[in-house]
mmCIF file of all heavy atoms in Angstrom:
data_model
loop_
_atom_site.group_PDB
_atom_site.id
_atom_site.type_symbol
_atom_site.label_atom_id
_atom_site.label_comp_id
_atom_site.label_asym_id
_atom_site.label_seq_id
_atom_site.Cartn_x
_atom_site.Cartn_y
_atom_site.Cartn_z
ATOM 1 N N GLY A 40 109.393 113.449 76.786
ATOM 2 C CA GLY A 40 110.454 113.129 77.724
ATOM 3 C C GLY A 40 110.621 114.200 78.832
ATOM 4 O O GLY A 40 110.793 113.857 79.953
ATOM 5 N N TYR A 41 110.550 115.464 78.425
ATOM 6 C CA TYR A 41 110.662 116.505 79.401
ATOM 7 C C TYR A 41 109.482 116.501 80.401
ATOM 8 O O TYR A 41 109.643 116.747 81.599
ATOM 9 C CB TYR A 41 110.752 117.894 78.731
ATOM 10 C CG TYR A 41 112.146 118.191 78.146
ATOM 11 C CD1 TYR A 41 112.364 118.279 76.813
ATOM 12 C CD2 TYR A 41 113.213 118.483 79.038
ATOM 13 C CE1 TYR A 41 113.609 118.567 76.253
ATOM 14 C CE2 TYR A 41 114.466 118.744 78.523
ATOM 15 C CZ TYR A 41 114.693 118.800 77.159
ATOM 16 O OH TYR A 41 115.934 119.069 76.667
ATOM 17 N N ILE A 42 108.327 116.294 79.855
ATOM 18 C CA ILE A 42 107.120 116.252 80.703
ATOM 19 C C ILE A 42 107.279 115.085 81.673
ATOM 20 O O ILE A 42 106.953 115.197 82.879
ATOM 21 C CB ILE A 42 105.819 116.094 79.855
ATOM 22 C CG1 ILE A 42 105.586 117.406 79.070
ATOM 23 C CG2 ILE A 42 104.592 115.830 80.772
ATOM 24 C CD1 ILE A 42 104.553 117.260 77.978
ATOM 25 N N LEU A 43 107.720 113.935 81.189
ATOM 26 C CA LEU A 43 107.905 112.772 82.001
ATOM 27 C C LEU A 43 108.893 113.064 83.119
ATOM 28 O O LEU A 43 108.692 112.702 84.312
ATOM 29 C CB LEU A 43 108.338 111.529 81.174
ATOM 30 C CG LEU A 43 108.614 110.255 81.860
ATOM 31 C CD1 LEU A 43 107.402 109.782 82.593
ATOM 32 C CD2 LEU A 43 109.028 109.222 80.806
ATOM 33 N N LEU A 44 109.994 113.732 82.750
ATOM 34 C CA LEU A 44 111.008 114.055 83.815
ATOM 35 C C LEU A 44 110.418 114.993 84.844
ATOM 36 O O LEU A 44 110.684 114.855 86.049
ATOM 37 C CB LEU A 44 112.230 114.672 83.154
ATOM 38 C CG LEU A 44 113.387 114.929 84.140
ATOM 39 C CD1 LEU A 44 113.878 113.641 84.842
ATOM 40 C CD2 LEU A 44 114.583 115.553 83.375
ATOM 41 N N GLY A 45 109.640 115.948 84.406
ATOM 42 C CA GLY A 45 108.967 116.865 85.336
ATOM 43 C C GLY A 45 108.016 116.115 86.291
ATOM 44 O O GLY A 45 108.057 116.404 87.531
ATOM 45 N N LEU A 46 107.271 115.163 85.758
ATOM 46 C CA LEU A 46 106.389 114.352 86.627
ATOM 47 C C LEU A 46 107.215 113.544 87.587
ATOM 48 O O LEU A 46 106.841 113.333 88.767
ATOM 49 C CB LEU A 46 105.503 113.470 85.779
ATOM 50 C CG LEU A 46 104.371 114.182 85.070
ATOM 51 C CD1 LEU A 46 103.637 113.193 84.144
ATOM 52 C CD2 LEU A 46 103.386 114.772 86.046
ATOM 53 N N LEU A 47 108.333 112.955 87.158
ATOM 54 C CA LEU A 47 109.213 112.219 88.031
ATOM 55 C C LEU A 47 109.764 113.083 89.170
ATOM 56 O O LEU A 47 109.790 112.607 90.338
ATOM 57 C CB LEU A 47 110.380 111.580 87.242
ATOM 58 C CG LEU A 47 109.992 110.396 86.351
ATOM 59 C CD1 LEU A 47 111.100 110.088 85.347
ATOM 60 C CD2 LEU A 47 109.699 109.184 87.155
ATOM 61 N N ALA A 48 110.111 114.301 88.833
ATOM 62 C CA ALA A 48 110.629 115.194 89.869
ATOM 63 C C ALA A 48 109.507 115.470 90.907
ATOM 64 O O ALA A 48 109.785 115.422 92.132
ATOM 65 C CB ALA A 48 111.074 116.535 89.240
ATOM 66 N N LEU A 49 108.283 115.648 90.475
ATOM 67 C CA LEU A 49 107.189 115.858 91.389
ATOM 68 C C LEU A 49 106.976 114.561 92.251
ATOM 69 O O LEU A 49 106.732 114.669 93.428
ATOM 70 C CB LEU A 49 105.885 116.173 90.634
ATOM 71 C CG LEU A 49 105.809 117.560 89.985
ATOM 72 C CD1 LEU A 49 104.542 117.669 89.152
ATOM 73 C CD2 LEU A 49 105.861 118.672 91.068
ATOM 74 N N ARG A 50 107.089 113.399 91.621
ATOM 75 C CA ARG A 50 106.950 112.138 92.359
ATOM 76 C C ARG A 50 108.028 112.009 93.433
ATOM 77 O O ARG A 50 107.725 111.487 94.538
ATOM 78 C CB ARG A 50 106.911 110.972 91.438
ATOM 79 C CG ARG A 50 106.850 109.590 92.102
ATOM 80 C CD ARG A 50 105.513 109.474 92.940
ATOM 81 N NE ARG A 50 105.403 108.258 93.641
ATOM 82 C CZ ARG A 50 105.695 108.080 94.922
ATOM 83 N NH1 ARG A 50 106.106 109.102 95.656
ATOM 84 N NH2 ARG A 50 105.529 106.927 95.516
ATOM 85 N N PHE A 51 109.230 112.384 93.130
ATOM 86 C CA PHE A 51 110.307 112.289 94.107
ATOM 87 C C PHE A 51 109.966 113.174 95.322
ATOM 88 O O PHE A 51 110.142 112.821 96.484
ATOM 89 C CB PHE A 51 111.655 112.636 93.518
ATOM 90 C CG PHE A 51 112.184 111.470 92.669
ATOM 91 C CD1 PHE A 51 112.433 111.674 91.310
ATOM 92 C CD2 PHE A 51 112.395 110.240 93.226
ATOM 93 C CE1 PHE A 51 112.871 110.586 90.570
ATOM 94 C CE2 PHE A 51 112.912 109.207 92.499
ATOM 95 C CZ PHE A 51 113.118 109.353 91.124
ATOM 96 N N VAL A 52 109.471 114.393 95.083
ATOM 97 C CA VAL A 52 109.061 115.288 96.163
ATOM 98 C C VAL A 52 107.910 114.666 96.925
ATOM 99 O O VAL A 52 107.954 114.613 98.172
ATOM 100 C CB VAL A 52 108.703 116.680 95.622
ATOM 101 C CG1 VAL A 52 108.037 117.525 96.727
ATOM 102 C CG2 VAL A 52 109.893 117.369 95.015
ATOM 103 N N TRP A 53 106.906 114.089 96.219
ATOM 104 C CA TRP A 53 105.762 113.523 96.841
ATOM 105 C C TRP A 53 106.139 112.328 97.667
ATOM 106 O O TRP A 53 105.492 111.942 98.643
ATOM 107 C CB TRP A 53 104.738 113.151 95.776
ATOM 108 C CG TRP A 53 103.348 112.957 96.339
ATOM 109 C CD1 TRP A 53 102.614 111.804 96.376
ATOM 110 C CD2 TRP A 53 102.479 113.993 96.899
ATOM 111 N NE1 TRP A 53 101.406 112.008 96.981
ATOM 112 C CE2 TRP A 53 101.327 113.339 97.295
ATOM 113 C CE3 TRP A 53 102.640 115.360 97.130
ATOM 114 C CZ2 TRP A 53 100.233 114.045 97.863
ATOM 115 C CZ3 TRP A 53 101.638 116.033 97.718
ATOM 116 C CH2 TRP A 53 100.425 115.395 98.092
ATOM 117 N N GLY A 54 107.287 111.651 97.280
ATOM 118 C CA GLY A 54 107.765 110.519 98.035
ATOM 119 C C GLY A 54 108.234 110.905 99.462
ATOM 120 O O GLY A 54 108.443 109.992 100.300
ATOM 121 N N PHE A 55 108.438 112.162 99.720
ATOM 122 C CA PHE A 55 108.890 112.642 101.019
ATOM 123 C C PHE A 55 107.754 113.353 101.743
ATOM 124 O O PHE A 55 107.738 113.400 102.976
ATOM 125 C CB PHE A 55 110.105 113.507 100.930
ATOM 126 C CG PHE A 55 111.302 112.747 100.420
ATOM 127 C CD1 PHE A 55 111.689 112.825 99.074
ATOM 128 C CD2 PHE A 55 112.020 111.924 101.256
ATOM 129 C CE1 PHE A 55 112.796 112.122 98.637
ATOM 130 C CE2 PHE A 55 113.100 111.158 100.793
ATOM 131 C CZ PHE A 55 113.464 111.278 99.481
ATOM 132 N N ILE A 56 106.861 114.057 101.024
ATOM 133 C CA ILE A 56 105.843 114.866 101.712
ATOM 134 C C ILE A 56 104.426 114.399 101.419
ATOM 135 O O ILE A 56 103.488 114.980 101.982
ATOM 136 C CB ILE A 56 105.953 116.357 101.330
ATOM 137 C CG1 ILE A 56 105.633 116.550 99.795
ATOM 138 C CG2 ILE A 56 107.349 116.894 101.641
ATOM 139 C CD1 ILE A 56 105.437 118.014 99.414
ATOM 140 N N GLY A 57 104.276 113.396 100.574
ATOM 141 C CA GLY A 57 102.907 113.020 100.184
ATOM 142 C C GLY A 57 102.146 112.180 101.231
ATOM 143 O O GLY A 57 102.569 112.073 102.414
ATOM 144 N N SER A 58 101.073 111.620 100.806
ATOM 145 C CA SER A 58 100.280 110.788 101.670
ATOM 146 C C SER A 58 101.026 109.561 102.198
ATOM 147 O O SER A 58 102.050 109.189 101.650
ATOM 148 C CB SER A 58 98.952 110.351 100.972
ATOM 149 O OG SER A 58 99.318 109.549 99.868
#
Side-chain angles (χ1 to χ4, degrees):
Y41 282 111
I42 294 167
L43 180 56
L44 185 59
L46 287 173
L47 287 164
L49 290 173
R50 177 61 182 98
F51 285 117
V52 170
W53 200 247
F55 294 100
I56 67 168
S58 63

